[in-house]
């Protein structure tokens, strides 16, 4: 265990289709926001961590160098963390390590993506093994469809029930997004619209899938000493867990999904959580696909395996339910991938400091943030709390 | 000039980067097997799992795997996804079914296509393709020593 | 070393659409009119060319536009005689150069042309002037190259 570390401020851009600014200018919006919100002098930052999807998405290699000016990193150490979809969570963990180690007191952590500038699924293809696997996977939807399909058969969950639960999730999240000023897709959806939407990869339909978003998120991590010097509510990092699996899709079980289970249990252990559904107040689960969100509920121990659909339909994970999941609308409504995991962490920080605005879960004290990366290969979980 | 009222420029570009990827001895031997319509695996000396495609080492035990065996061209479907949407840079045009297939006598899932049935109607596909269904490899007549030497796996009667 | 083992050849192709945003759009529009625009920082008084939206030194937003000179001097250069670079639009021989346009404070990267491609033909400090392509696309290549003067 290192020193205590807290998030002392977060800045986000308005996420969406952002052809109104160049990529560095987009990153600048988030960075400027976090400095304005916290009042921290950029000169006092000890180091900068930046991350995006693989550079093939960006079309510019070494994006942390591309953004060096807007990150105000000239004359400072800068590093890049890149773990595909979990990049944002890895960024947060990197910032956490840096401060927890005692090597830095204030670290600026920035995740960003301009998905509309490149071709996201072509980039996903380059993430896949080139000799044997690249040919058969239709981007992320192909992988996630196979995973959820296997899950439904393994636990004998009727297709109709999964469809109903997924439909409820997407309707709720797109509605919740109206209360999040930064969210990309905000929409009143009907069951018919969702159930009859265009098939992407069966059984995944259009409204089960996240959008391509442009956006950035900037977070400042601070040591306890620095936190005490500032008149700001900190969101303490109570636990972190990060776990991976073999590279080859097909070598490990993606239903009883070890990396997701282990990452959450490591984070719970560090944070002293023994009963997540009772102890957590809010969870920002990485949910690029409705079906996968259901599976995550089970892997994180929010309910038993095979039961996520029933609990979802009962409202357990709704905003007014026992454990509010993705009250921000989540990844399903907003997915600038390199920023997405960090947005989960930021939303968790906003919740436990009572700053989430219209989508605040009243009295939230303990929150989970999560992201997943690679070809269903890595999972990262962070626990944030209002008390040290 | 008021920049707020302008249509902003978008610079269009296509990056094309050529690669020559080394297969190394294990995968060279595996794909040479394809040319003779054989599927090879290696067995881990420690955990005894049969890994297919053949690997040079076991990703769990971190030991070299040098026992080669030819495996069955038949197996069962573990999971599948019907793709209806065209993805940039994927050479296969939709509709197609990507699937994990457990070849008989092996311990890893093999990623390939399921074909040989009408894919035009998702409802028909859903009713026809089932997890646990037996499938068999169908080979392309022309062999190039790549994964596409297997055309797809077709359901067995 | 001879190749005992097989290889797999393929080309990764990725399409991109880069947003220029308001400042670089305006800069490109200027090129269409054969004008080169810079932006001046209020705080440090530096003039950046191409124009930028913010000062990388002071982090001030820049909104003072200045049309800058199309003449300047070569700061440094490199000559490529016959090596083709995959993905680069311009074929050799060519000379790339950093050029300090008169009264600006950043170096402008472009080609030097209109010379006999003999590496002794150019030196640092050489005065150069922009030569424009007849057809304008709102692109850095609207400037054909910078040619030596004087």
């Amino acid at each position: 265990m290192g020193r205590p570390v807290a998030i002392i401020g977060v800045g986000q851009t308005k996420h969406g289709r952002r052809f109104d600014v160049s990529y560095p200018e987009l990153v600048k919006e988030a960075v400027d926001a976090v400095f304005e919100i916290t009042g921290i002098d950029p000169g006092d930052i000890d180091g900068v961590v930046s991350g995006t999807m693989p550079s093939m998405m960006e079309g510019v290699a070494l994006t942390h160098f591309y953004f060096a000016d807007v990150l105000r990193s000239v004359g400072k150490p800068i590093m890049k963390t890149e773990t595909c979809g979990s990049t944002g969570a890895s960024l947060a963990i990197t910032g956490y390590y840096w401060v927890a180690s005692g090597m830095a007191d204030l670290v600026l952590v920035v995740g960003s993506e301009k998905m509309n500038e490149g071709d996201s699924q072509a980039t996903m293809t380059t993430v896949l093994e080139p000799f044997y696997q690249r040919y058969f996977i239709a981007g992320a939807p192909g992988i996630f469809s196979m995973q959820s399909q296997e899950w439904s058969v393994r636990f004998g969950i009727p297709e109709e029930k999964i469809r109903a639960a997924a439909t409820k999730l997407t309707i709720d999240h797109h509605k919740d997004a109206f209360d999040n000023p930064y969210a990309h897709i905000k929409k009143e959806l009907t069951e018919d619209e969702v159930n009859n939407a265009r098939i992407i990869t069966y059984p995944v339909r259009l409204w089960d899938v996240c959008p391509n978003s442009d956006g950035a998120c900037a977070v400042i991590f601070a040591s306890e000493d620095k936190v005490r010097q500032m008149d700001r509510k900190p969101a303490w990092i109570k636990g972190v867990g990060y776990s991976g699996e073999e590279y080859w899709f097909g070598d490990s079980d993606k239903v009883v999904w070890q990396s997701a289970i282990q990452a959450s249990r490591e984070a719970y252990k560090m944070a002293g959580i023994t009963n997540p559904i009772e102890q957590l107040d809010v969870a920002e689960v990485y949910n690029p696909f409705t079906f996968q969100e259901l599976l995550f509920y089970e892997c994180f121990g929010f309910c038993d395996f095979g039961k996520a659909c029933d609990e979802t339909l009962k409202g357990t994970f709704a905003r007014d339910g026992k454990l509010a999941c993705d009250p921000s609308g989540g990844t399903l409504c907003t997915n600038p991938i390199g920023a997405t995991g960090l947005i989960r962490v930021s939303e968790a920080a906003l919740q436990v400091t009572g700053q989430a605005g219209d989508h605040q879960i009243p009295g939230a004290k303990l929150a989970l943030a999560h992201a997943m990366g690679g070809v269903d290969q890595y999972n990262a979980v962070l626990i944030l709390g209002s008390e040290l | 000039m008021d920049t707020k009222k302008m249509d902003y420029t978008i610079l269009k570009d296509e990056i094309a980067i050529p690669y020559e990827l080394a297969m190394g001895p294990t995968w060279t031997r595996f794909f040479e097997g394809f040319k003779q319509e054989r599927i090879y695996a290696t067995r881990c000396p420690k955990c005894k799992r049969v890994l297919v495609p053949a690997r040079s080492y076991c990703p769990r035990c971190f030991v070299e795997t040098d026992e080669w065996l030819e495996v069955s061209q038949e197996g069962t479907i573990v999971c599948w996804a019907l793709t209806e949407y065209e993805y940039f840079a994927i050479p296969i045009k939709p509709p197609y079914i990507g699937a994990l297939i457990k070849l008989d006598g092996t311990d890893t899932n093999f990623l390939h296509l399921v074909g040989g049935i009408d894919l035009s109607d998702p409802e028909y596909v859903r009713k026809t393709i089932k997890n646990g269904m037996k499938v068999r490899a169908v080979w392309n007549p022309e062999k190039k020593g790549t994964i596409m030497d297997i055309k797809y796996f077709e359901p067995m009667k | 070393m001879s190749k005992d083992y097989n290889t797999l050849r393929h080309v990764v192709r990725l399409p991109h659409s880069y947003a220029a945003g308001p400042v670089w759009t305006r800069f490109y529009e200027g090129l269409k009119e054969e004008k080169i625009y810079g932006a001046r920082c209020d705080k440090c008084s530096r003039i950046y060319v191409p124009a930028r939206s913010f000062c990388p030194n002071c982090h001030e937003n820049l909104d003072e536009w200045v049309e800058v000179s199309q003449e300047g001097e070569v700061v440094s250069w490199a000559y490529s005689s016959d090596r083709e670079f995959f993905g680069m639009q311009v074929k050799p021989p060519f000379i790339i150069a950093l050029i300090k346009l008169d009264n600006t404070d950043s170096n402008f990267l472009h080609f030097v042309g209109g010379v006999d491609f003999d590496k002794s033909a150019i030196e640092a400090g050489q005065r150069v002037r922009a030569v424009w392509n007849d057809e304008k696309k709102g692109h850095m290549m609207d400037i054909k190259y910078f040619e030596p003067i004087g």
Side-chain angles (χ1 to χ4, degrees), chain B residues 117-133:
Chain B
I117 67 157
D118 178 16
L119 299 177
S120 60
D121 175 12
E123 281 306 309
Y124 171 76
V125 171
R126 184 175 70 88
K127 291 191 180 104
T128 308
I129 302 298
K130 299 286 179 195
N131 292 15
M133 180 182 230

Side-chain angles (χ1 to χ4, degrees), chain C residues 131-146:
Chain C
V131 175
W132 297 85
N133 275 315
D134 293 335
E135 192 200 350
K136 304 292 192 297
K137 293 178 176 171
H139 187 275
M140 279 301 272
M141 295 312 294
D142 287 352
I143 299 175
K144 196 173 178 184
Y145 47 67
F146 285 78

Side-chain angles (χ1 to χ4, degrees), chain A residues 93 122 171 206 247 260 310 365 387:
Chain A
I93 292 174
I171 289 173
L206 183 67
Y247 176 62
D310 295 317
K365 289 189 167 60
E387 305 294 330

Side-chain angles (χ1 to χ4, degrees), chain B residues 10-60:
Chain B
I10 295 169
L11 182 66
K12 298 252 181 200
D13 190 17
E14 185 172 295
I15 293 174
I17 307 175
Y19 293 91
E20 183 180 7
L21 307 176
M23 289 186 184
T26 304
W27 293 342
T28 296
R29 183 168 166 188
F30 178 83
F31 281 125
E32 289 301 317
F34 264 33
K35 292 182 185 169
Q36 296 151 20
E37 300 198 354
R38 293 172 195 277
I39 304 174
Y40 284 110
T42 51
R43 194 197 315 266
C44 172
K46 200 164 166 194
C47 70
K48 306 296 181 196
R49 289 189 309 151
V50 176
L51 308 169
V52 62
R55 322 284 170 90
S56 57
Y57 64 93
C58 174
R60 291 196 188 156

Side-chain angles (χ1 to χ4, degrees), chain C residues 6-150:
Chain C
N6 297 349
T7 60
L8 179 71
R9 286 176 181 275
H10 73 138
V11 176
V12 170
R13 285 174 51 232
L14 297 163
H16 290 280
S17 305
Y18 303 108
V23 173
W24 292 337
T25 296
R26 183 170 169 187
F27 177 82
Y28 283 146
E29 291 298 317
L31 293 180
K32 288 187 190 169
E33 295 158 16
E34 300 198 355
K35 293 178 194 292
I36 303 174
Y37 283 109
R40 187 174 172 281
C41 176
D42 268 351
K43 202 164 165 189
C44 70
S45 300
R46 284 193 178 93
I47 294 175
Y48 294 96
V49 62
R52 317 237 186 127
S53 59
F54 66 96
C55 173
N57 189 44
C58 311
H59 298 282
E60 297 289 309
N61 289 328
L62 304 185
D63 46 22
E64 187 190 338
W65 286 71
V66 279
E67 188 192 340
V68 302
S69 172
Q70 302 192 8
E71 296 181 4
E73 62 180 52
V74 172
V75 174
S76 64
W77 58 277
Y79 171 59
S80 187
S81 59
D82 53 13
R83 165 86 193 272
E84 276 204 39
F85 292 88
F86 190 95
M88 198 166 168
Q89 292 168 16
V90 175
K91 302 300 168 209
F94 57 75
I95 295 169
I96 53 172
L98 281 176
I99 296 155
K100 173 94 105 199
L101 295 175
D102 294 342
N103 301 317
T104 69
D105 299 287
S106 60
N107 295 321
F108 191 79
L109 183 64
H110 216 285
F111 293 103
V112 168
V115 293
D116 181 11
F117 281 105
D118 173 344
K119 58 185 166 146
S120 63
I122 186 163
E123 281 176 26
Q126 169 71 51
R127 297 282 302 165
V128 290
R129 175 169 51 208
V131 175
W132 297 85
N133 275 315
D134 293 335
E135 192 200 350
K136 304 292 192 297
K137 293 178 176 171
H139 187 275
M140 279 301 272
M141 295 312 294
D142 287 352
I143 299 175
K144 196 173 178 184
Y145 47 67
F146 285 78
E147 67 175 4
I149 51 172

Side-chain angles (χ1 to χ4, degrees), chain A residues 216-231:
Chain A
C217 179
V219 178
I220 294 176
F221 285 74
S223 64
E224 190 178 0
D225 285 351
K226 289 286 177 187
V227 171
R228 304 293 177 216
Q229 290 165 20
M230 279 182 266
D231 184 26

Side-chain angles (χ1 to χ4, degrees), chain A residues 156-377:
Chain A
I157 314 163
E159 256 183 64
E160 299 72 27
K161 190 189 280 184
I162 299 183
R163 180 66 267 164
T167 299
K168 176 174 164 51
L169 284 182
T170 196
I171 289 173
D172 287 355
H173 289 325
H174 282 90
K175 198 170 158 205
D176 291 342
F178 281 104
D179 291 333
N180 175 359
Y182 304 107
H184 180 186
I185 307 289
K186 311 173 182 202
K187 195 163 162 61
E188 293 277 358
L189 289 165
T190 66
E191 286 186 16
D192 275 356
E193 251 177 301
V194 174
N195 294 341
N196 298 312
R198 182 163 67 92
I199 291 174
I200 304 291
T201 47
Y202 192 90
V204 170
R205 291 173 187 267
L206 183 67
W207 290 108
D208 294 313
V209 181
C210 59
N212 280 332
S213 311
D214 305 331
C217 179
V219 178
I220 294 176
F221 285 74
S223 64
E224 190 178 0
D225 285 351
K226 289 286 177 187
V227 171
R228 304 293 177 216
Q229 290 165 20
M230 279 182 266
D231 184 26
R232 286 188 58 78
K233 272 190 183 170
W236 297 101
I237 310 295
K238 306 285 287 180
V240 300
Y242 191 64
S243 181
E245 294 166 17
E246 294 98 323
Y247 176 62
W248 288 56
F249 186 61
D251 275 9
S252 48
D253 186 354
K254 306 300 184 191
V255 175
V256 179
W257 194 1
Q258 284 311 312
S259 62
I261 295 167
Q262 283 170 9
S264 60
R265 298 316 185 272
E266 279 171 28
Y268 292 163
K269 190 178 169 197
M270 193 170 154
I273 292 175
T274 50
N275 189 349
I277 185 84
E278 296 295 336
Q279 289 171 267
L280 290 169
D281 299 305
V282 58
E284 279 285 336
V285 175
Y286 184 80
N287 60 344
F289 290 76
T290 50
F291 298 86
Q292 208 184 39
E293 180 174 357
L294 294 162
L295 180 54
F296 282 130
Y297 292 166
E298 298 177 2
C299 292
F300 296 160
F302 297 171
C303 62
D304 289 338
F305 270 95
K307 297 293 177 216
C309 294
D310 295 317
E311 293 298 329
T312 298
L313 290 166
K314 273 198 280 179
T316 306
F317 308 115
R319 253 165 86 173
D320 55 357
K322 197 168 175 64
L323 173 53
C325 288
D326 293 293
S328 64
T331 310
L332 195 63
C333 303
T334 308
N335 191 22
I337 304 187
T340 296
L342 195 59
I343 295 170
R344 305 278 71 71
V345 175
S346 295
E347 286 291 339
L350 292 173
Q351 289 287 353
V352 299
T353 52
Q355 301 176 87
D358 290 343
H359 61 290
Q360 177 69 44
I361 302 303
K365 289 189 167 60
L366 203 58
L368 175 146
H370 159 246
M372 185 277 300
V375 184
D376 275 353
Q377 197 183 355

